[in-house]
């Protein structure tokens, strides 16, 4: 990994920066919809808190001037209480106490409301992220650029709700600063000019370094994703056996450390530069403050200001100086945070390319004619090579067809096209004469039961592991047990201590792991759970032994007589039970027929069958 060269001119045009700032408006409305009452509460509280600092300083001025006046009247006599000499001073003290005490209560209330609002919004945005990811096409998850966007969006989903609290804090400080500035303008306008001279360089420096930090984070998204991957396989139950057997621990740690160290060096350089410039510009601010303080003291000594005025002006300038720095630097930080919001919202702005028709046709159930691939061509996004082209195949209703062929022949791609995980680039796929693009995607997939070789092993209960196959029927235990019996998964579940309620997997306490074959039987049960018109098994028995595989396929054959079935397998012993076997080669149908017909043909199928059979002799 080459070190990132920090550019002299940042790659963010003004239009892009304005676009990212508009995300703040989008964030505001999202958080308002999350909880308008919490939002309104924090706004009102901040408005009240905003006017407290100048009022407290004003009370302090009046108190000091009153104390000076009282000292000129001589010592307090015995009847000072009855005389009411200190009533005005007492009222001022009570008033300032009420301001300070009320501010503390309101600040705590604001923290509570912000925390609740932030958690609600974080939960909502995480739900929205998951929902949007579910709507995107499969290609979005099989391309590195989209993976980088998703990774950046995940990082921002849980943390960007604090940006709005920063914005509200900025508005609160602006109101406070305006009130303080009015006092300074009335007494000493020169102080405002001194403040501007001191603050503007610091603001520019902060603005530049915020953008640099975002740029560096953006540029290193691929490397951070690699680090997350290394962290996962280096400390995961799924990879632990292989890591230990191959002695990969040191290798993985070395790769992770190499990436982490290089990113650290870049961040360290930026941090040091930022700190050095901050120290220099902070010194200018300090000089300006004490210059202003000396100016106020000089005018007080000349009798132009009272002692109370001195305290009020010096306190106002000090606070205003701090507020102006926080406001201007805060705005640059918010602008930087808005850049990160762009990472989040740019993911939400990705639109699926596979869309449903305005008036989808109902899926034909049961099938009458079958499935037809007519001159279908497809290549994966970014690739010039067609995986399949001029592909023609008819699967009759109620027929069990097996697809065989070497790796890369296009078998799994056909399944992805048939289920509209991808869209055919050429030709059409019809079911009972209707193009699958005329069905809604949900309706199409609801009527197709698919199990891929790389099925998920959910860390759910055994019941839920099967129930996800038809999520709307996940509470239907009789249907779940029936599906388990059809896939022979009931034999696995009967041995579990908790039966169908047993937590599976080692990720959570009390979970029990299964063998690869046992997991596979549960996965096959999901396909039966759908009770679909079309059943597709893509290498479904790779983890089963020969006996278990024979039992599963014998059961599959008997149960799929009322359905149309597509079977993909590398094991030729299992595909013999299919009504028809289709041999694929480089995305085209090379041979088709029953096992006996293909063996008599003495072609590619017969050659592959003999090669595999020889391994068992």
């Amino acid at each position: 990994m080459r070190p990132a060269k920090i550019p002299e001119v940042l790659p963010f045009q003004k239009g892009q920066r304005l676009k990212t700032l508009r995300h703040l408006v989008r964030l505001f409305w999202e958080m308002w919809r999350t909880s308008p009452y919490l939002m309104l509460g924090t706004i009102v509280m901040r408005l009240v808190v905003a006017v407290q600092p100048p009022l407290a300083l004003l009370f302090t001025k009046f108190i000091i001037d009153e104390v000076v006046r009282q000292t000129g009247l001589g010592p307090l006599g015995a009847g000072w209480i009855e005389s009411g000499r200190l009533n005005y001073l007492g009222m001022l003290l009570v008033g300032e106490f009420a301001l300070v005490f009320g501010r503390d209560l309101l600040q705590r209330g604001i923290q509570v409301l912000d925390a609740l609002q932030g958690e609600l919004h974080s939960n909502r945005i995480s739900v929205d992220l998951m929902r949007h990811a579910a709507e995107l096409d499969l290609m979005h998850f099989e391309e590195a650029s989209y993976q980088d966007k998703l990774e950046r969006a995940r990082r921002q989903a849980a943390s960007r709700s604090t940006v709005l609290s920063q914005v509200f804090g900025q508005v609160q400080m602006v109101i406070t600063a305006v009130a303080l500035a009015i006092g300074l303008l009335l007494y000493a306008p020169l102080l405002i000019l001194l403040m501007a001279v001191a603050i503007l360089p610091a603001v520019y420096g902060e603005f530049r370094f915020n953008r640099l930090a975002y740029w560096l984070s953006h540029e290193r998204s691929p490397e951070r994703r690699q680090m997350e991957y290394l962290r996962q396989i280096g400390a995961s139950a799924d990879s632990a056996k292989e890591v230990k057997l191959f002695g990969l621990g040191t290798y993985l740690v070395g790769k992770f450390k190499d990436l982490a160290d290089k990113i650290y060096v870049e961040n360290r350089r930026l941090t040091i530069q930022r700190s050095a410039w901050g120290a220099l510009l902070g010194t200018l601010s300090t000089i300006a403050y004490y210059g202003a303080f000396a100016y106020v003291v000089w005018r007080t000594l000349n009798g132009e200001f009272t002692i109370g005025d001195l305290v009020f002006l010096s306190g106002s300038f000090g606070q205003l100086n701090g507020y102006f720095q926080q406001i201007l630097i805060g705005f640059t930080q918010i602008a930087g945070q808005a850049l990160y919001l762009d990472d989040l919202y740019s993911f939400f702005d990705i639109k699926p390319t596979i869309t449903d028709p305005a008036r989808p046709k109902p899926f034909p159930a049961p099938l009458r004619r079958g499935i037809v691939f007519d001159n279908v061509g497809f290549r994966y996004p970014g690739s010039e090579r067609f995986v399949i082209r001029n592909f023609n195949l008819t699967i009759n209703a109620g027929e069990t067809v097996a697809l065989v062929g070497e790796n890369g022949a296009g078998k799994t791609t056909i399944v992805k096209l048939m289920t509209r995980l991808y869209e055919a680039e050429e030709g059409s796929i019809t079911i009972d004469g209707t193009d699958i693009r005329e069905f809604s995607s949900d309706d199409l997939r609801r009527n197709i039961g698919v199990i891929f070789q790389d099925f998920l092993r959910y860390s759910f209960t055994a019941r839920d592991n099967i129930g996800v196959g038809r999520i709307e029927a996940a509470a239907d235990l009789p249907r779940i047990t029936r599906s388990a019996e059809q896939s022979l998964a009931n034999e696995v579940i009967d041995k579990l201590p908790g039966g169908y309620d047993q937590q599976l997997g080692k990720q959570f306490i009390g979970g029990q792991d299964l063998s690869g074959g046992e997991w596979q039987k549960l996965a096959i049960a999901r396909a039966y759970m759908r009770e679909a018109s079309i059943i597709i098994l893509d290498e479904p028995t790779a983890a089963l032994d020969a006996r278990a595989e024979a039992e599963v396929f014998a059961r599959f054959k008997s149960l799929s007589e009322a359905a149309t079935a597509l079977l993909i397998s590398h094991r030729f012993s299992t595909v013999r039970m299919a009504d028809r076997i289709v041999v694929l080669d480089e995305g085209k149908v090379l041979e088709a027929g029953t096992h006996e017909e293909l063996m008599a043909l003495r072609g590619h199928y017969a050659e592959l069958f003999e090669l595999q059979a020889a391994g068992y002799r």
Side-chain angles (χ1 to χ4, degrees):
M1 182 183 78
R2 289 182 297 178
K5 183 179 179 182
I6 296 177
E8 292 299 323
V9 179
L10 291 172
F12 304 117
Q13 301 300 324
K14 290 182 180 178
Q16 292 174 302
R17 294 199 294 267
L18 289 174
K19 175 189 171 185
T20 59
L21 289 174
R22 286 199 294 271
H23 291 321
L24 294 173
V25 177
R26 187 172 176 178
L27 178 64
F28 175 87
W29 286 115
E30 279 184 358
M31 295 193 71
W32 178 267
R33 288 196 299 269
T34 299
S35 178
Y37 297 109
L38 290 176
M39 181 77 80
L40 188 61
T42 191
I43 290 173
V44 171
M45 285 185 178
R46 287 185 184 277
L47 288 174
V48 175
V49 169
V51 298
Q52 192 274 342
L55 287 177
L57 278 172
L58 198 60
F59 268 85
T60 301
K61 165 189 156 43
F62 292 148
I63 289 170
I64 291 174
D65 284 342
E66 178 64 14
V67 169
V68 171
R69 190 184 72 83
Q70 289 289 341
T71 57
L73 298 176
L76 294 171
W80 64 272
I81 297 178
E82 292 80 1
S83 68
R85 177 176 166 180
L86 299 183
N87 287 354
Y88 177 59
L89 182 60
M91 290 171 56
L92 291 173
L93 289 170
V94 171
E96 184 166 350
F97 171 79
L99 282 172
V100 175
F101 183 72
R103 177 183 174 87
D104 181 64
L105 289 180
L106 288 173
Q107 289 282 32
R108 293 178 185 278
I110 290 169
Q111 291 175 2
V112 170
L113 295 185
D114 283 353
L116 295 175
Q117 182 87 8
E119 184 171 355
L120 284 175
H121 181 261
S122 177
N123 292 341
R124 174 173 177 157
I125 207 72
S126 296
V127 169
D128 290 345
L129 186 73
M130 293 169 66
R131 282 177 176 163
H132 188 66
E135 293 171 357
L136 294 180
D137 305 332
L138 183 61
M139 73 172 186
H140 294 132
F141 298 92
E142 294 185 345
E143 289 188 16
S145 62
Y146 285 102
Q147 286 289 336
D148 290 339
K149 285 186 177 181
L150 178 58
E151 174 61 24
R152 289 195 293 267
R154 279 200 196 105
R155 288 206 308 266
Q156 307 314 324
S159 60
R160 293 304 138 200
S161 57
T162 58
V163 178
L164 207 58
S165 295
Q166 288 180 278
V167 173
F168 286 156
Q170 289 295 101
V171 174
Q172 175 185 325
M173 285 190 287
V174 166
I175 294 172
T176 303
V178 168
L180 291 169
I182 290 172
L184 288 180
L185 285 170
L186 291 174
Y187 283 93
L190 180 63
L191 299 181
I192 301 294
L193 180 61
L194 281 172
M195 189 177 306
V197 171
I199 290 173
L200 290 178
V203 172
Y204 171 76
E206 189 71 17
F207 183 62
R208 174 175 172 77
F209 282 109
N210 274 330
R211 289 187 293 148
L212 278 171
Y214 168 75
W215 177 82
L216 197 57
S217 174
H218 186 279
E219 287 295 296
R220 287 296 171 231
S221 287
E223 286 79 8
R224 290 187 183 279
R225 196 155 55 83
Q226 289 179 41
M227 290 171 62
E228 184 58 35
Y229 173 71
L230 290 169
R231 186 187 292 114
Q232 181 181 350
I233 63 173
S236 168
D238 294 335
S239 57
K241 294 192 293 293
E242 191 156 319
V243 168
K244 288 181 177 297
L245 288 172
F246 292 155
L248 298 179
T250 303
Y251 170 76
L252 295 173
V253 168
K255 282 181 72 69
F256 180 91
K257 193 172 184 302
D258 183 55
L259 289 168
D261 288 347
K262 289 176 180 176
I263 291 177
Y264 167 74
V265 168
E266 294 172 351
N267 287 333
R268 181 183 63 188
R269 180 175 54 176
L270 182 62
T271 301
I272 291 173
Q273 289 180 8
R274 186 174 198 159
S275 179
W277 278 102
L280 175 62
L281 298 171
T283 300
L284 291 176
S285 178
T286 302
I287 292 171
Y289 170 75
Y290 281 100
F293 186 68
Y295 170 73
V296 174
V297 169
W298 177 74
R299 291 191 63 177
T300 303
L301 292 174
N302 282 331
E304 298 177 47
F305 294 149
T306 66
I307 299 299
D309 293 337
L310 170 65
V311 173
F312 174 75
L313 290 173
S314 60
S316 294
F317 185 85
Q319 287 193 28
L320 192 56
N321 184 49
Y323 278 121
F324 272 176
Q325 287 197 44
Q326 291 180 58
I327 289 167
L328 295 176
I329 292 174
F331 275 128
T332 65
Q333 291 174 340
I334 289 170
Q337 295 294 323
L339 292 171
Y340 291 98
L341 281 175
D342 191 55
D343 286 340
L344 178 62
Y345 290 130
S346 63
F347 176 75
F348 282 115
D349 289 338
I350 299 172
K351 302 301 180 186
T353 59
I354 299 176
T355 57
D356 291 339
R359 291 185 175 84
K361 293 184 178 179
F363 188 90
L367 267 62
R368 301 295 183 186
R369 287 180 281 169
I371 307 159
V372 176
F373 291 79
D374 184 15
N375 286 318
V376 173
F378 174 78
R379 53 188 169 183
Y380 284 99
S383 173
E384 295 297 322
R385 186 182 73 87
F386 278 86
V387 181
I388 60 173
R389 198 166 199 187
N390 299 321
F391 178 76
N392 294 280
L393 175 66
T394 298
I395 303 173
N396 298 315
E399 184 181 27
T400 298
V401 173
L403 295 182
V404 299
E406 299 179 26
N407 289 333
K411 303 184 297 297
T412 298
T413 298
I414 290 169
V415 177
K416 291 178 179 177
L417 294 176
M418 189 172 161
T419 52
R420 291 196 76 198
L421 294 176
Y422 280 96
E423 202 87 273
E425 188 173 335
E426 299 174 348
S428 65
I429 305 170
T430 60
I431 296 178
D432 272 9
T434 301
D435 194 306
I436 61 172
R437 286 170 289 200
E438 297 184 45
F439 303 128
S440 75
S441 298
D442 287 343
D443 196 22
L444 175 69
R445 293 164 189 163
R446 193 180 298 115
N447 285 278
I448 301 178
V450 186
I451 292 296
F452 289 102
Q453 181 179 356
D454 53 348
F455 59 87
L456 280 179
R457 304 180 181 192
Y458 295 97
S459 291
F460 298 161
T461 62
R463 175 206 300 254
D464 290 341
N465 258 279
I466 298 173
V468 294
R470 189 79 170 192
I471 198 65
E472 60 268 28
D476 189 346
L477 186 57
R479 183 169 179 167
I480 291 172
T481 56
R482 186 167 63 251
S483 301
E485 291 167 0
Q486 291 169 346
S487 70
L488 303 179
N490 63 313
E491 299 173 358
V492 177
I493 297 170
D494 288 343
K495 297 175 184 178
L496 297 174
Y500 282 90
D501 294 319
Q502 174 66 48
Q503 174 72 39
L504 300 181
K506 289 294 187 181
Q507 192 165 356
F508 302 109
I509 295 175
Q512 182 163 327
D513 207 0
L514 304 177
S515 68
E518 290 171 331
W519 276 113
Q520 205 144 29
K521 289 179 179 179
L522 261 70
I524 295 171
R526 287 178 210 148
Y528 290 129
M529 181 73 185
R530 296 191 81 75
E531 297 182 356
S533 302
I534 302 170
I535 299 176
I536 303 174
L537 301 184
D538 186 355
E539 296 288 355
T541 58
L544 298 179
D545 57 46
R547 181 184 296 277
E549 181 187 44
E551 290 176 354
V552 166
F553 275 108
R555 185 68 61 91
F556 172 75
K557 178 61 176 173
S558 64
L559 291 170
S560 62
E561 290 178 354
T564 304
L566 184 63
L567 168 65
I568 298 174
S569 179
H570 280 91
R571 294 185 183 179
F572 285 64
S573 58
T574 63
V575 301
R576 296 178 62 171
M577 47 74 70
D579 299 322
R580 186 158 49 101
I581 301 168
V582 176
V583 183
L584 298 182
D585 183 52
E586 296 185 354
K588 292 184 175 64
V589 175
L590 187 63
E591 300 168 356
T594 64
H595 171 74
E596 291 74 16
E597 290 170 346
L598 293 176
M599 289 301 292
L601 189 63
R602 307 306 298 168
H604 193 59
Y605 175 85
E607 178 187 356
L608 293 176
F609 183 85
E610 290 296 339
L611 284 172
Q612 194 171 103
Y616 291 99
R617 296 192 184 110

